[in-house]
Amino acid sequence: MIKSLHGRGGSVCLVTGASGYIGGRLVPALLDAGYRVRCMARSARRLRDHPWADRVEIAEADATDPESTRRALHGVDVAYYLIHAIGAAGGFAETDRRAARTFGGAARDSGVGRLVYLGGMDPEEDLSPHLRSRAEVGEILLRSGVPTAWLRAAVIIGSGSASFEMLRYLTERLPVMVTPRWVHSRIQPIAIQDVLHYLVGAAALPAEVNRGFDIGGPDVLTYVGMMHRYAAVAGLRHRIVVPVPVLSPRLSSLWVGAITPVPGSLARPLVESLRNEVVCAEHDIDGYIPPPSAGPVGFDRAVALALRRVRDADVATRWSSAGTPGAPGDPLPTDPDWAGGSLYTDERACRSGAPAEKAWEVIEGIGGEHGWYSFPVAWRIRGVLDRLVGGVGLRRGRRDPDRLRVGEAVDFWRVEEIEPGRLLRLRAEMRLPGLAWLEFGVRRDGSGALVTQRALFHPRGLAGHAYWWAFRPFHGRIFGGMCRGIARAAEQEVPSGARAPARLP
């Protein structure tokens, strides 16, 4: 089945693996470059939550099934092969081999003019099963009879990339690391922005080009070097690394699985691949596709871009699936749950018998002289502790007791977003080992209102995780009490322009 769009000009590009990390970011890049895009997936439903879903054609097909694959490739000028069975149950090598042969043959039969494949580097040494399978796929496509550009990359730096997420979690969660020998393997990482630049550019390669190209960023680092530099960019303390030669890749993958939320079936082949040094042997690609106009993105900047949504004020929108990311390195709402770094949440909902308008009045008047509607002693103590460590404490209060504007201070919070009558989001400015937000919402619920409340905390380093779990037992009293207090305050008979008492239990 093909769901098609009409009236769009330009060549037709088919993207396989559009629900994955690279494919989900390549599709909007191709659309922005003026191409028509058709996405191939085993189920169209897997693509419906992507922000670009209504701008593409969708073809349902299985890359191991010749008939459905030929239908999907009909009328296609350029096909991107971004399929890999890593993480799948059973052996992935045979699945990869069969899918590549089927797809290459179907592309030839359908008259496709160009294949573009993103795989791993192919160093001249004993390859891990993961890299060996990626290399075999590349060779199969090169022999398919369709001109193929095989782009070979090492570690891709961007939020959502499995390799980057593994680096992120290991560095953030372990101030002291006992590591195997593979942390000294040399790696030439590349930013997701540059990967997309070369992928889009490969669509216009001359027909006679049928070969592989190494693509990499400007920095060659060891894995331990990447961890140290990640820590510096993320504002973490210098990491202490103690190598232990006896840790095999198998044991290392179990260790990574215990420390990070990256699934073990994915972490294991990635860790095994780290025993290979992956450094560009050539840079011929620049002779066909000019480098990015601003130059290649270095490792430190790539990490900073990957962390941008975490460090910027609108970080909370990433986890609430707010829409299209602003840059290729930003998280997508469809990324796996384990991607994007740790984010702890505490969500509450309370029904109030008061009208939604009255509940909103209470929410907009929170803080300052009205207080926080729960456990006032705890709030005062937290304010004193914040001042003792150089923070602002509760002394700032608020400009207006009843109305708020974006950018205003509310005690040790700052108004980040306000949608009158519907949403208030505050960003914490107290001293914390991480970033925190407090979000309130209200909507009509029959004759009353439903008050929603969400606390979010993005920890920085091990101290951040410890901070969250140390205070976790008190969340029911503090956050739960706050939600109930707001709901009860709204029910009180309050004259227009007045407010409910601040110190509700």
Side-chain angles (χ1 to χ4, degrees), residues 176-442:
V176 179
M177 289 173 274
V178 177
T179 58
R181 286 180 296 180
W182 52 255
V183 297
H184 295 293
S185 298
R186 294 168 69 242
I187 299 168
Q188 191 165 353
I190 183 170
I192 179 61
Q193 291 83 355
D194 290 347
V195 173
L196 296 177
H197 169 81
Y198 288 117
L199 283 172
V200 173
L205 285 171
E208 65 271 14
V209 175
N210 185 58
R211 54 163 293 183
F213 295 96
D214 289 348
I215 58 173
D219 302 305
V220 176
L221 305 162
T222 62
Y223 199 86
V224 69
M226 290 197 299
M227 288 191 286
H228 285 315
R229 287 174 67 165
Y230 178 98
V233 174
L236 303 173
R237 294 179 183 272
H238 181 75
R239 272 28 198 166
I240 299 173
V241 178
V242 181
V244 178
V246 297
L247 281 177
S248 67
R250 168 71 178 173
L251 290 175
S252 298
S253 67
L254 296 175
W255 165 68
V256 169
I259 297 300
T260 80
V262 178
S265 58
L266 187 56
R268 188 170 304 115
L270 290 177
V271 169
E272 290 174 348
S273 299
L274 291 172
R275 76 180 190 224
N276 295 115
E277 291 201 343
V278 279
V279 177
C280 292
E282 44 82 14
H283 297 278
D284 296 349
I285 189 70
D286 290 342
Y288 295 90
I289 303 172
S293 57
V297 179
F299 178 82
D300 290 359
R301 176 157 173 74
V303 170
L305 290 170
L307 299 179
R308 183 171 69 89
R309 277 296 184 92
V310 170
R311 303 175 77 86
D312 282 358
D314 62 349
V315 60
T317 61
R318 173 262 182 267
W319 288 275
S320 58
S321 302
T324 307
D330 287 344
L332 278 175
T334 48
D335 284 345
D337 291 341
W338 46 263
S342 300
L343 185 78
Y344 294 120
T345 62
D346 183 284
E347 299 188 55
R348 311 276 170 168
C350 302
R351 192 183 186 282
S352 174
E357 294 80 5
K358 185 61 64 177
W360 175 254
E361 285 185 8
V362 176
I363 289 172
E364 192 176 4
I366 201 165
E369 65 186 59
H370 301 134
W372 294 89
Y373 297 99
S374 73
F375 208 172
V377 173
W379 285 97
R380 287 196 291 270
I381 293 174
R382 185 65 183 87
V384 170
L385 292 175
D386 191 56
R387 293 190 63 178
L388 289 175
V389 294
V392 296
L394 298 175
R395 57 186 171 179
R396 296 188 305 191
R398 40 182 294 160
R399 176 193 61 84
D400 184 294
D402 298 326
R403 299 290 175 259
L404 288 174
R405 295 182 300 197
V406 171
E408 290 183 342
V410 181
D411 294 335
F412 43 37
W413 303 86
R414 178 122 2 226
V415 179
E416 180 176 278
E417 183 64 47
I418 184 167
E419 298 178 20
R422 198 185 77 84
L423 173 73
L424 171 65
R425 184 184 301 133
L426 306 175
R427 184 182 71 246
E429 293 190 338
M430 74 279 281
R431 294 298 182 100
L432 289 169
L435 304 172
W437 293 263
L438 191 56
E439 188 176 272
F440 302 95
V442 63

Side-chain angles (χ1 to χ4, degrees), residues 138-161:
E139 295 295 342
I140 290 171
L141 296 178
L142 288 173
R143 296 192 301 266
S144 67
V146 179
T148 297
W150 169 13
L151 305 185
R152 299 182 292 242
V155 171
I156 296 175
I157 305 299
S159 184
S161 161

